[in-house]
Amino acid sequence: MNTFGNGQTPNIDLSGHCSESWGVPCTKYASQIAYCQGLGVKIFLSLRGASGQYGLSSAQDAQEFAQHLWTYYLSGQSPGLLGNVTLDGIDFDIEAGSNLYWDVLLKDLYTYKEVKTVYLSAAPQCPIPDHYLDAAIRTGLFDYIWVQFYNNPTCEYTDDGDTQKLISSWNQWTTTFNATKFYVGLPASPAANGSAGGYVPIDVLNNEILPQVETSPKFGGVMLWSRYYDYLSGYSGKINCTAPAALKVVRAPLVAMMKSASEVLYRLLSQY
């Protein structure tokens, strides 16, 4: 969802697949979402990313937006921009605009767990504190946190072979904050992130990084950007996670899926 808050009419842009703003409704994916859910896959709606017109102007704005998400995307009460769907969770990928009231939105969404199971996740940058989501993360209410260990030289793998900045940052994340599971977020190929950096060769990941990060009881698996680049590189199929119930996670612009340790989780993202 790339437009919401501050009195704006919410809009979804599935990265070139559909958008109400250019006349291609996203409701055509309702049946596909239902099909995936029938297979036991969990579907998340992700709140924006690096670009878009979004933000929360007040606590009341956050509360009203939480109600909107519940009514049109989580409860199945009314059809929204994805049609008549009952999604499983909301993902916070906040990388622009104001850093205010995201904790209020999270707390309001969390109250709906009393009605049904609602999963809540976040995709912060690896430097601590995350500029946009720190207050929300410190509530301890997120189920899953996929930390982006890229775009940030101070806490990512670098081409000189230094793994310690990433590992040190991972240890800080998993010991400082509470969440059910944390994920190591990486580019799926050198092209996936270009000059911004953070790509980890698969042998380095399997032999030097995973043996250390998997020791945390909070280790959930590996998250990759993106499904397109993973499809080209085959990176996820080469990951050797040995921790029980670890997931390989691939970020994609269309659907988010979570099934089992051997399945790939596609997150619903409007755009990187």
Side-chain angles (χ1 to χ4, degrees):
M1 180 169 283
N2 66 331
T3 302
F4 60 85
N6 200 26
Q8 300 180 97
T9 300
N11 184 52
I12 287 178
D13 180 355
L14 294 185
S15 193
H17 294 280
C18 65
S19 175
E20 290 288 336
S21 64
W22 37 275
V24 181
C26 296
T27 52
K28 61 182 180 179
Y29 294 114
S31 60
Q32 297 182 33
I33 290 171
Y35 176 79
C36 290
Q37 289 177 313
L39 298 176
V41 171
K42 307 302 181 185
I43 311 295
F44 292 63
L45 173 66
S46 188
L47 306 180
R48 206 42 178 124
S51 62
Q53 299 297 317
Y54 65 88
L56 301 171
S57 60
S58 65
Q60 181 177 350
D61 191 20
Q63 293 163 0
E64 291 174 354
F65 184 50
Q67 178 64 54
H68 175 86
L69 292 173
W70 170 255
T71 300
Y72 296 103
Y73 299 98
L74 297 171
S75 70
Q77 295 175 359
S78 302
L81 295 175
L82 291 172
N84 191 9
V85 298
T86 306
L87 303 182
D88 300 283
I90 300 295
D91 176 61
F92 288 58
D93 187 17
I94 309 303
E95 301 181 33
S98 170
N99 63 358
L100 299 178
Y101 308 114
W102 299 113
D103 56 329
V104 178
L105 176 62
L106 176 64
K107 291 174 183 176
D108 287 334
L109 288 171
Y110 190 85
T111 64
Y112 292 115
K113 286 177 173 279
E114 299 177 1
V115 182
K116 59 162 284 190
T117 299
V118 175
Y119 296 101
L120 299 168
S121 64
Q125 303 291 309
C126 55
I128 295 174
D130 182 85
H131 176 70
Y132 297 102
L133 290 173
D134 184 61
I137 290 169
R138 290 184 184 279
T139 66
L141 299 181
F142 282 117
D143 297 292
Y144 309 111
I145 295 181
W146 2 83
V147 184
Q148 297 184 40
F149 291 103
Y150 48 94
N151 302 325
N152 297 282
T154 61
C155 48
E156 69 184 23
Y157 174 82
T158 48
D159 292 338
D160 60 2
D162 183 4
T163 62
Q164 290 309 303
K165 292 193 296 291
L166 187 157
I167 292 170
S168 176
S169 179
W170 166 266
N171 291 336
Q172 190 177 4
W173 274 97
T174 55
T175 57
T176 303
F177 303 113
N178 290 321
T180 304
K181 293 294 180 182
F182 288 80
Y183 293 75
V184 178
L186 302 171
S189 73
N193 214 37
S195 61
Y199 173 73
V200 179
I202 192 64
D203 60 326
V204 175
L205 177 65
N206 286 334
N207 299 325
E208 300 181 42
I209 294 176
L210 287 180
Q212 295 197 54
V213 301
E214 284 182 319
T215 60
S216 169
K218 296 180 182 178
F219 175 76
V222 176
M223 176 272 282
L224 299 176
W225 173 260
S226 67
R227 172 56 181 161
Y228 171 75
Y229 288 103
D230 181 57
Y231 176 79
L232 295 179
S233 68
Y235 193 93
S236 65
K238 304 170 187 175
I239 296 173
N240 183 22
C241 286
T242 60
L247 281 166
K248 300 172 187 176
V249 180
V250 180
R251 296 173 62 182
L254 187 55
V255 293
M257 304 191 288
M258 181 168 20
K259 193 173 181 183
S260 71
S262 61
E263 296 291 329
V264 175
L265 185 153
Y266 299 91
R267 296 178 51 217
L268 175 61
L269 290 177
S270 47
Q271 200 171 5
Y272 172 67

